[in-house]
PDB file of all heavy atoms in Angstrom:
ATOM      1  N   SER A 129     -22.603  40.793 102.377  1.00  0.00           N
ATOM      2  CA  SER A 129     -21.513  40.070 101.734  1.00  0.00           C
ATOM      3  C   SER A 129     -21.829  38.577 101.761  1.00  0.00           C
ATOM      4  O   SER A 129     -22.748  38.151 102.477  1.00  0.00           O
ATOM      5  CB  SER A 129     -20.176  40.360 102.417  1.00  0.00           C
ATOM      6  OG  SER A 129     -20.281  40.047 103.783  1.00  0.00           O
ATOM      7  N   ILE A 130     -21.083  37.787 100.995  1.00  0.00           N
ATOM      8  CA  ILE A 130     -21.412  36.377 100.855  1.00  0.00           C
ATOM      9  C   ILE A 130     -20.515  35.532 101.762  1.00  0.00           C
ATOM     10  O   ILE A 130     -19.305  35.718 101.808  1.00  0.00           O
ATOM     11  CB  ILE A 130     -21.243  35.925  99.382  1.00  0.00           C
ATOM     12  CG1 ILE A 130     -22.187  36.730  98.492  1.00  0.00           C
ATOM     13  CG2 ILE A 130     -21.506  34.422  99.228  1.00  0.00           C
ATOM     14  CD1 ILE A 130     -21.991  36.518  97.015  1.00  0.00           C
ATOM     15  N   GLU A 131     -21.155  34.628 102.494  1.00  0.00           N
ATOM     16  CA  GLU A 131     -20.415  33.690 103.344  1.00  0.00           C
ATOM     17  C   GLU A 131     -20.704  32.270 102.872  1.00  0.00           C
ATOM     18  O   GLU A 131     -21.749  32.007 102.282  1.00  0.00           O
ATOM     19  CB  GLU A 131     -20.875  33.822 104.795  1.00  0.00           C
ATOM     20  CG  GLU A 131     -20.232  34.950 105.566  1.00  0.00           C
ATOM     21  CD  GLU A 131     -18.737  34.773 105.796  1.00  0.00           C
ATOM     22  OE1 GLU A 131     -18.270  33.618 105.849  1.00  0.00           O
ATOM     23  OE2 GLU A 131     -18.045  35.815 105.903  1.00  0.00           O
ATOM     24  N   GLU A 132     -19.750  31.378 103.173  1.00  0.00           N
ATOM     25  CA  GLU A 132     -19.979  29.975 102.830  1.00  0.00           C
ATOM     26  C   GLU A 132     -19.666  29.099 104.032  1.00  0.00           C
ATOM     27  O   GLU A 132     -18.878  29.489 104.892  1.00  0.00           O
ATOM     28  CB  GLU A 132     -19.062  29.566 101.677  1.00  0.00           C
ATOM     29  CG  GLU A 132     -19.675  29.812 100.313  1.00  0.00           C
ATOM     30  CD  GLU A 132     -18.744  29.368  99.211  1.00  0.00           C
ATOM     31  OE1 GLU A 132     -17.600  29.863  99.186  1.00  0.00           O
ATOM     32  OE2 GLU A 132     -19.156  28.520  98.409  1.00  0.00           O
ATOM     33  N   GLY A 133     -20.277  27.937 104.075  1.00  0.00           N
ATOM     34  CA  GLY A 133     -19.967  27.007 105.146  1.00  0.00           C
ATOM     35  C   GLY A 133     -19.907  25.605 104.581  1.00  0.00           C
ATOM     36  O   GLY A 133     -20.338  25.378 103.450  1.00  0.00           O
ATOM     37  N   PRO A 134     -19.375  24.654 105.365  1.00  0.00           N
ATOM     38  CA  PRO A 134     -19.243  23.281 104.861  1.00  0.00           C
ATOM     39  C   PRO A 134     -20.587  22.563 104.746  1.00  0.00           C
ATOM     40  O   PRO A 134     -21.497  22.821 105.538  1.00  0.00           O
ATOM     41  CB  PRO A 134     -18.366  22.600 105.922  1.00  0.00           C
ATOM     42  CG  PRO A 134     -18.586  23.398 107.153  1.00  0.00           C
ATOM     43  CD  PRO A 134     -18.869  24.811 106.727  1.00  0.00           C
ATOM     44  N   GLU A 135     -20.692  21.677 103.757  1.00  0.00           N
ATOM     45  CA  GLU A 135     -21.918  20.880 103.614  1.00  0.00           C
ATOM     46  C   GLU A 135     -21.913  19.720 104.595  1.00  0.00           C
ATOM     47  O   GLU A 135     -22.961  19.269 105.055  1.00  0.00           O
ATOM     48  CB  GLU A 135     -22.052  20.366 102.170  1.00  0.00           C
ATOM     49  CG  GLU A 135     -22.433  21.477 101.217  1.00  0.00           C
ATOM     50  CD  GLU A 135     -22.380  21.065  99.757  1.00  0.00           C
ATOM     51  OE1 GLU A 135     -22.637  19.883  99.451  1.00  0.00           O
ATOM     52  OE2 GLU A 135     -22.062  21.947  98.923  1.00  0.00           O
ATOM     53  N   VAL A 136     -20.719  19.219 104.921  1.00  0.00           N
ATOM     54  CA  VAL A 136     -20.612  18.219 105.989  1.00  0.00           C
ATOM     55  C   VAL A 136     -20.402  19.012 107.278  1.00  0.00           C
ATOM     56  O   VAL A 136     -19.389  19.687 107.439  1.00  0.00           O
ATOM     57  CB  VAL A 136     -19.445  17.246 105.737  1.00  0.00           C
ATOM     58  CG1 VAL A 136     -19.275  16.295 106.915  1.00  0.00           C
ATOM     59  CG2 VAL A 136     -19.666  16.466 104.445  1.00  0.00           C
ATOM     60  N   GLU A 137     -21.391  18.957 108.148  1.00  0.00           N
ATOM     61  CA  GLU A 137     -21.377  19.786 109.351  1.00  0.00           C
ATOM     62  C   GLU A 137     -21.276  18.914 110.595  1.00  0.00           C
ATOM     63  O   GLU A 137     -21.446  17.694 110.530  1.00  0.00           O
ATOM     64  CB  GLU A 137     -22.664  20.617 109.421  1.00  0.00           C
ATOM     65  CG  GLU A 137     -22.540  22.056 108.978  1.00  0.00           C
ATOM     66  CD  GLU A 137     -21.510  22.847 109.807  1.00  0.00           C
ATOM     67  OE1 GLU A 137     -20.897  22.294 110.743  1.00  0.00           O
ATOM     68  OE2 GLU A 137     -21.328  24.035 109.504  1.00  0.00           O
ATOM     69  N   THR A 138     -21.054  19.567 111.719  1.00  0.00           N
ATOM     70  CA  THR A 138     -21.112  18.845 112.989  1.00  0.00           C
ATOM     71  C   THR A 138     -22.498  19.068 113.573  1.00  0.00           C
ATOM     72  O   THR A 138     -23.187  20.020 113.215  1.00  0.00           O
ATOM     73  CB  THR A 138     -20.063  19.390 113.974  1.00  0.00           C
ATOM     74  OG1 THR A 138     -20.364  20.769 114.201  1.00  0.00           O
ATOM     75  CG2 THR A 138     -18.667  19.251 113.419  1.00  0.00           C
ATOM     76  N   GLU A 139     -22.863  18.178 114.496  1.00  0.00           N
ATOM     77  CA  GLU A 139     -24.148  18.331 115.187  1.00  0.00           C
ATOM     78  C   GLU A 139     -24.210  19.673 115.879  1.00  0.00           C
ATOM     79  O   GLU A 139     -25.265  20.285 115.950  1.00  0.00           O
ATOM     80  CB  GLU A 139     -24.275  17.247 116.256  1.00  0.00           C
ATOM     81  CG  GLU A 139     -24.984  16.032 115.776  1.00  0.00           C
ATOM     82  CD  GLU A 139     -25.567  15.291 116.961  1.00  0.00           C
ATOM     83  OE1 GLU A 139     -24.849  14.446 117.497  1.00  0.00           O
ATOM     84  OE2 GLU A 139     -26.723  15.580 117.327  1.00  0.00           O
ATOM     85  N   TYR A 140     -23.034  20.106 116.383  1.00  0.00           N
ATOM     86  CA  TYR A 140     -23.002  21.354 117.135  1.00  0.00           C
ATOM     87  C   TYR A 140     -23.489  22.525 116.274  1.00  0.00           C
ATOM     88  O   TYR A 140     -24.392  23.256 116.669  1.00  0.00           O
ATOM     89  CB  TYR A 140     -21.592  21.632 117.672  1.00  0.00           C
ATOM     90  CG  TYR A 140     -21.528  22.954 118.400  1.00  0.00           C
ATOM     91  CD1 TYR A 140     -22.030  23.074 119.707  1.00  0.00           C
ATOM     92  CD2 TYR A 140     -21.022  24.095 117.780  1.00  0.00           C
ATOM     93  CE1 TYR A 140     -22.026  24.299 120.369  1.00  0.00           C
ATOM     94  CE2 TYR A 140     -21.005  25.320 118.427  1.00  0.00           C
ATOM     95  CZ  TYR A 140     -21.509  25.419 119.734  1.00  0.00           C
ATOM     96  OH  TYR A 140     -21.509  26.628 120.382  1.00  0.00           O
ATOM     97  N   TYR A 141     -22.904  22.694 115.089  1.00  0.00           N
ATOM     98  CA  TYR A 141     -23.279  23.849 114.258  1.00  0.00           C
ATOM     99  C   TYR A 141     -24.666  23.704 113.633  1.00  0.00           C
ATOM    100  O   TYR A 141     -25.379  24.678 113.474  1.00  0.00           O
ATOM    101  CB  TYR A 141     -22.245  24.075 113.147  1.00  0.00           C
ATOM    102  CG  TYR A 141     -20.978  24.698 113.661  1.00  0.00           C
ATOM    103  CD1 TYR A 141     -19.808  23.958 113.780  1.00  0.00           C
ATOM    104  CD2 TYR A 141     -20.952  26.041 114.043  1.00  0.00           C
ATOM    105  CE1 TYR A 141     -18.648  24.534 114.264  1.00  0.00           C
ATOM    106  CE2 TYR A 141     -19.797  26.619 114.535  1.00  0.00           C
ATOM    107  CZ  TYR A 141     -18.643  25.867 114.644  1.00  0.00           C
ATOM    108  OH  TYR A 141     -17.507  26.435 115.121  1.00  0.00           O
ATOM    109  N   ASN A 142     -25.025  22.479 113.271  1.00  0.00           N
ATOM    110  CA  ASN A 142     -26.313  22.294 112.604  1.00  0.00           C
ATOM    111  C   ASN A 142     -27.492  22.385 113.580  1.00  0.00           C
ATOM    112  O   ASN A 142     -28.567  22.831 113.214  1.00  0.00           O
ATOM    113  CB  ASN A 142     -26.339  20.948 111.877  1.00  0.00           C
ATOM    114  CG  ASN A 142     -27.467  20.876 110.857  1.00  0.00           C
ATOM    115  OD1 ASN A 142     -27.350  21.420 109.760  1.00  0.00           O
ATOM    116  ND2 ASN A 142     -28.565  20.227 111.225  1.00  0.00           N
ATOM    117  N   PHE A 143     -27.269  21.953 114.864  1.00  0.00           N
ATOM    118  CA  PHE A 143     -28.375  21.908 115.839  1.00  0.00           C
ATOM    119  C   PHE A 143     -28.078  22.662 117.141  1.00  0.00           C
ATOM    120  O   PHE A 143     -28.732  23.650 117.461  1.00  0.00           O
ATOM    121  CB  PHE A 143     -28.718  20.455 116.190  1.00  0.00           C
ATOM    122  CG  PHE A 143     -29.310  19.676 115.033  1.00  0.00           C
ATOM    123  CD1 PHE A 143     -28.751  18.464 114.638  1.00  0.00           C
ATOM    124  CD2 PHE A 143     -30.439  20.126 114.372  1.00  0.00           C
ATOM    125  CE1 PHE A 143     -29.297  17.732 113.594  1.00  0.00           C
ATOM    126  CE2 PHE A 143     -31.001  19.401 113.331  1.00  0.00           C
ATOM    127  CZ  PHE A 143     -30.425  18.202 112.940  1.00  0.00           C
ATOM    128  N   GLU A 144     -27.073  22.136 117.847  1.00  0.00           N
ATOM    129  CA  GLU A 144     -26.768  22.587 119.215  1.00  0.00           C
ATOM    130  C   GLU A 144     -26.659  24.112 119.328  1.00  0.00           C
ATOM    131  O   GLU A 144     -27.378  24.738 120.113  1.00  0.00           O
ATOM    132  CB  GLU A 144     -25.439  21.948 119.633  1.00  0.00           C
ATOM    133  CG  GLU A 144     -25.284  21.782 121.126  1.00  0.00           C
ATOM    134  CD  GLU A 144     -25.927  20.490 121.626  1.00  0.00           C
ATOM    135  OE1 GLU A 144     -26.187  19.586 120.799  1.00  0.00           O
ATOM    136  OE2 GLU A 144     -26.175  20.416 122.832  1.00  0.00           O
ATOM    137  N   ALA A 145     -25.788  24.697 118.530  1.00  0.00           N
ATOM    138  CA  ALA A 145     -25.528  26.137 118.614  1.00  0.00           C
ATOM    139  C   ALA A 145     -26.717  26.954 118.116  1.00  0.00           C
ATOM    140  O   ALA A 145     -26.782  28.167 118.317  1.00  0.00           O
ATOM    141  CB  ALA A 145     -24.271  26.494 117.826  1.00  0.00           C
ATOM    142  N   LEU A 146     -27.657  26.275 117.463  1.00  0.00           N
ATOM    143  CA  LEU A 146     -28.861  26.963 116.987  1.00  0.00           C
ATOM    144  C   LEU A 146     -30.025  26.746 117.958  1.00  0.00           C
ATOM    145  O   LEU A 146     -31.187  26.860 117.594  1.00  0.00           O
ATOM    146  CB  LEU A 146     -29.226  26.485 115.577  1.00  0.00           C
ATOM    147  CG  LEU A 146     -28.312  27.031 114.469  1.00  0.00           C
ATOM    148  CD1 LEU A 146     -28.402  26.181 113.218  1.00  0.00           C
ATOM    149  CD2 LEU A 146     -28.664  28.486 114.147  1.00  0.00           C
ATOM    150  N   ASN A 147     -29.648  26.397 119.192  1.00  0.00           N
ATOM    151  CA  ASN A 147     -30.661  26.278 120.241  1.00  0.00           C
ATOM    152  C   ASN A 147     -31.591  25.077 120.010  1.00  0.00           C
ATOM    153  O   ASN A 147     -32.756  25.110 120.403  1.00  0.00           O
ATOM    154  CB  ASN A 147     -31.465  27.594 120.333  1.00  0.00           C
ATOM    155  CG  ASN A 147     -32.104  27.791 121.694  1.00  0.00           C
ATOM    156  OD1 ASN A 147     -31.564  27.334 122.711  1.00  0.00           O
ATOM    157  ND2 ASN A 147     -33.262  28.452 121.714  1.00  0.00           N
ATOM    158  N   ILE A 148     -31.085  24.070 119.328  1.00  0.00           N
ATOM    159  CA  ILE A 148     -31.870  22.850 119.123  1.00  0.00           C
ATOM    160  C   ILE A 148     -31.167  21.731 119.907  1.00  0.00           C
ATOM    161  O   ILE A 148     -30.277  21.075 119.386  1.00  0.00           O
ATOM    162  CB  ILE A 148     -31.957  22.449 117.629  1.00  0.00           C
ATOM    163  CG1 ILE A 148     -32.235  23.672 116.729  1.00  0.00           C
ATOM    164  CG2 ILE A 148     -33.015  21.368 117.410  1.00  0.00           C
ATOM    165  CD1 ILE A 148     -32.186  23.395 115.228  1.00  0.00           C
ATOM    166  N   PRO A 149     -31.534  21.545 121.195  1.00  0.00           N
ATOM    167  CA  PRO A 149     -30.837  20.514 121.977  1.00  0.00           C
ATOM    168  C   PRO A 149     -31.134  19.097 121.468  1.00  0.00           C
ATOM    169  O   PRO A 149     -32.022  18.892 120.652  1.00  0.00           O
ATOM    170  CB  PRO A 149     -31.376  20.717 123.391  1.00  0.00           C
ATOM    171  CG  PRO A 149     -32.602  21.535 123.261  1.00  0.00           C
ATOM    172  CD  PRO A 149     -32.556  22.255 121.958  1.00  0.00           C
ATOM    173  N   LYS A 150     -30.327  18.153 122.032  1.00  0.00           N
ATOM    174  CA  LYS A 150     -30.340  16.762 121.548  1.00  0.00           C
ATOM    175  C   LYS A 150     -31.742  16.147 121.399  1.00  0.00           C
ATOM    176  O   LYS A 150     -32.040  15.531 120.395  1.00  0.00           O
ATOM    177  CB  LYS A 150     -29.522  15.869 122.493  1.00  0.00           C
ATOM    178  CG  LYS A 150     -28.046  15.989 122.266  1.00  0.00           C
ATOM    179  CD  LYS A 150     -27.392  14.617 122.085  1.00  0.00           C
ATOM    180  CE  LYS A 150     -26.130  14.723 121.241  1.00  0.00           C
ATOM    181  NZ  LYS A 150     -25.239  15.860 121.552  1.00  0.00           N
ATOM    182  N   ASP A 151     -32.579  16.333 122.414  1.00  0.00           N
ATOM    183  CA  ASP A 151     -33.886  15.663 122.361  1.00  0.00           C
ATOM    184  C   ASP A 151     -34.992  16.572 121.827  1.00  0.00           C
ATOM    185  O   ASP A 151     -36.175  16.284 121.962  1.00  0.00           O
ATOM    186  CB  ASP A 151     -34.264  15.152 123.765  1.00  0.00           C
ATOM    187  CG  ASP A 151     -34.059  16.244 124.811  1.00  0.00           C
ATOM    188  OD1 ASP A 151     -33.668  17.373 124.411  1.00  0.00           O
ATOM    189  OD2 ASP A 151     -34.290  15.992 126.004  1.00  0.00           O
ATOM    190  N   HIS A 152     -34.585  17.658 121.225  1.00  0.00           N
ATOM    191  CA  HIS A 152     -35.577  18.616 120.733  1.00  0.00           C
ATOM    192  C   HIS A 152     -36.315  18.048 119.515  1.00  0.00           C
ATOM    193  O   HIS A 152     -35.692  17.515 118.600  1.00  0.00           O
ATOM    194  CB  HIS A 152     -34.870  19.921 120.348  1.00  0.00           C
ATOM    195  CG  HIS A 152     -35.803  21.089 120.247  1.00  0.00           C
ATOM    196  ND1 HIS A 152     -36.657  21.230 119.192  1.00  0.00           N
ATOM    197  CD2 HIS A 152     -35.993  22.164 121.053  1.00  0.00           C
ATOM    198  CE1 HIS A 152     -37.356  22.350 119.358  1.00  0.00           C
ATOM    199  NE2 HIS A 152     -36.957  22.935 120.492  1.00  0.00           N
ATOM    200  N   PRO A 153     -37.658  18.185 119.510  1.00  0.00           N
ATOM    201  CA  PRO A 153     -38.429  17.612 118.382  1.00  0.00           C
ATOM    202  C   PRO A 153     -38.061  18.224 117.031  1.00  0.00           C
ATOM    203  O   PRO A 153     -38.271  17.593 115.998  1.00  0.00           O
ATOM    204  CB  PRO A 153     -39.890  17.922 118.736  1.00  0.00           C
ATOM    205  CG  PRO A 153     -39.847  18.923 119.836  1.00  0.00           C
ATOM    206  CD  PRO A 153     -38.543  18.773 120.528  1.00  0.00           C
ATOM    207  N   ALA A 154     -37.503  19.437 117.033  1.00  0.00           N
ATOM    208  CA  ALA A 154     -37.133  20.074 115.768  1.00  0.00           C
ATOM    209  C   ALA A 154     -36.123  19.223 114.992  1.00  0.00           C
ATOM    210  O   ALA A 154     -36.043  19.293 113.769  1.00  0.00           O
ATOM    211  CB  ALA A 154     -36.560  21.456 116.007  1.00  0.00           C
TER     212      ALA A 154
END
Side-chain angles (χ1 to χ4, degrees):
S129 56
I130 299 172
E131 278 294 332
E132 271 181 303
E135 287 172 32
V136 175
E137 260 301 359
T138 61
E139 267 203 270
Y140 177 78
Y141 284 107
N142 196 79
F143 293 126
E144 206 85 18
L146 286 160
N147 204 31
I148 316 174
K150 281 232 153 43
D151 48 2
H152 198 286

